[in-house]
Amino acid sequence: MQKETGNPDQIRYYDYLIVGAGLFGAVFAERAMSLGKKVLVIDRRPNVAGNVYTRNTEGINVHVYGAHIFHTSDERVWKYVNRFASFNDYVNRVIADYNGERYSLPFNMFTFEKLWGVKTPEAAKAVIDSQIKEYGITKITNLEEQAISMVGVDVYRKLVKGYTEKQWGRKATELPPSIIKRLPLRFTYDDNYFNDKYQGIPVGGYTAMAEKMLEGADVLLSTEYSDFVKRGGYSFGKTVYTGMIDEFFGFRLGKLGYRSLRFETETLDKPDFQGNAVVNYTSYDVPYTRIIEHKYFENAVSSKTVISREYPDEYADGKEAYYTVNDEKNTALYERYRALAEEERPDVIFGGRLGEYKYYDMDKVIASALALADKELG
């Protein structure tokens, strides 16, 4: 990775302008450079790595934009990321706090034993089936009904309802059932949050991994795309754009829906705060959804600890767009933007969660960027 240089009075040509130095942009840049393409990467933030950016504080790699645990079952993706980082053996075991009661996530036999005192899968299934039958759902019209039809009343009330309503900023009865159709139920004492074959955290943090991907690229940080294109002095074969597709077109067709987050991060003068990397707070009257204690992601040795409280937030101009709101209205609007892009800007490739307007786990972002590289670069 190197800062872009050159004669300002001379037109500089690049095969690709890559807008966004997050995982999608970094992976595509690396693949393009490996085939001899010249790339310029710009990002509005002062750092690379996008939302997986990590910053070292008191010897602890802090996940500045929220916790990111890498997990995948994709062999190609796993081999690829291991070219740029060594991964530790971190396993995500989440604790849920409901009014001081502590439960294991995802929902598993530890959870059910704590809730009902049951000790066998058959007994746990019987309780859940009884609650579903007693509730008497005949037609599923919203998220609440969908969740109860899957996990019963107790699990929903204590571990789903409040967390979900905080996350989306509206009542569960006002949310579509599609949001929660993949609630995990595990009738074993396996408390690993993920089912994927591979899992871990890059040793040294995600920023170092992204920097290795971008080695040899020209990079301009703290650079807004709209300001950059007005500046002139450059010529590009194509643009790979990973920002908000509606923003790219000046919100011409209307604004897509997003959800944001805000974080309160503090360094504490003690070696431990909660004894676990992730504790979710599922009660509605607790304003944050979780507390992250960063040192446990890499078992950092430090006399201090760093924690982040994560608050769901309404999206507004100037805030970060963390989640797309893929309801019927927004999905239809996105399809109109996608058609507009194909018609007016065939020289621009829209990628990543904001460019494609979909939720992506990290491994899926990388897989998508690799697939684009296969298609685009051959």
Side-chain angles (χ1 to χ4, degrees), residues 151 309 373:
V151 301
R309 293 178 178 85

Side-chain angles (χ1 to χ4, degrees), residues 36-71:
K37 303 297 183 182
K38 190 176 180 184
V39 302
L40 173 62
V41 181
I42 69 171
D43 199 293
R44 63 175 32 156
R45 291 175 176 169
N47 53 266
V48 302
N51 281 357
V52 301
Y53 171 63
T54 48
R55 179 176 60 218
N56 193 279
T57 302
E58 299 291 342
I60 301 165
N61 287 312
V62 174
H63 296 215
V64 174
Y65 297 101
H68 287 84
I69 298 97
F70 193 86
H71 57 98

